[in-house]
Amino acid sequence: MSRKIPGLLLLIAVTALPQAALAADAANGEKLAKRWCAACHVVASDQKSGNTQVAPFSAIAKVPGFDAAKLALYLLTPHPKMPDMNLTRSEAADLAAYIVSQGR
Ligand code: HEC
């Protein structure tokens, strides 16, 4: 019974995300990226080095099929090689909006 709850929360997150992505603030996303992501990813064009093993945000934004809602969801689900950053939904949406802006 209790094992079903995470799935339900995920479903709620998925249905709520397009809304959050619309209200996203890329400028705040940039601040968050520089604070939380720059140790590993190159997050801005003026950043010289990150961890070279990891995709820069400008490359992530150019992956075919990439979109802000999917990215925000990716950031909210824990995944192996990245630390769990406990982002709020609006932080994830702001980050996603910022990463999208880096692909332009
Ligand atoms: C401790 C290092 C580290 C930090 C900090 C980190 N990442 Fe990552 N990130 C990785 C690694 C390593 C991968 C590759 C994961 C894989 O190959 O499974 C990755 C992959 C990604 C991907 C998927 C790229 C793809 O090709 O699918 C995204 C999006 C991403 N990171 C965004 C972020 C954001 C946004 C932050 C800041 C909130 C962040 N990362 C912080 C190490 C990090």
Side-chain angles (χ1 to χ4, degrees):
M1 181 62 187
S2 62
R3 299 196 60 203
K4 289 191 173 159
I5 291 174
L8 184 62
L9 289 177
L10 192 62
L11 188 68
I12 293 168
V14 172
T15 44
L17 272 171
Q19 294 280 343
L22 279 179
D25 174 356
N28 186 47
E30 178 174 8
K31 267 186 250 156
L32 293 169
K34 286 182 172 160
R35 188 175 328 146
W36 296 112
C37 323
C40 301
H41 295 269
V42 171
V43 305
S45 51
D46 62 357
Q47 185 186 333
K48 296 279 179 289
S49 65
N51 176 333
T52 49
Q53 302 288 300
V54 183
F57 283 4
S58 56
I60 292 171
K62 287 180 182 133
V63 172
F66 172 88
D67 75 59
K70 248 190 263 170
L71 181 70
L73 184 63
Y74 173 86
L75 293 176
L76 290 177
T77 42
H79 37 272
K81 295 182 194 154
M82 266 167 53
D84 180 358
M85 284 161 283
N86 281 313
L87 297 168
T88 65
R89 213 162 66 198
S90 81
E91 285 171 338
D94 291 353
L95 275 163
Y98 172 65
I99 293 172
V100 169
S101 77
Q102 291 301 293
R104 294 205 183 113

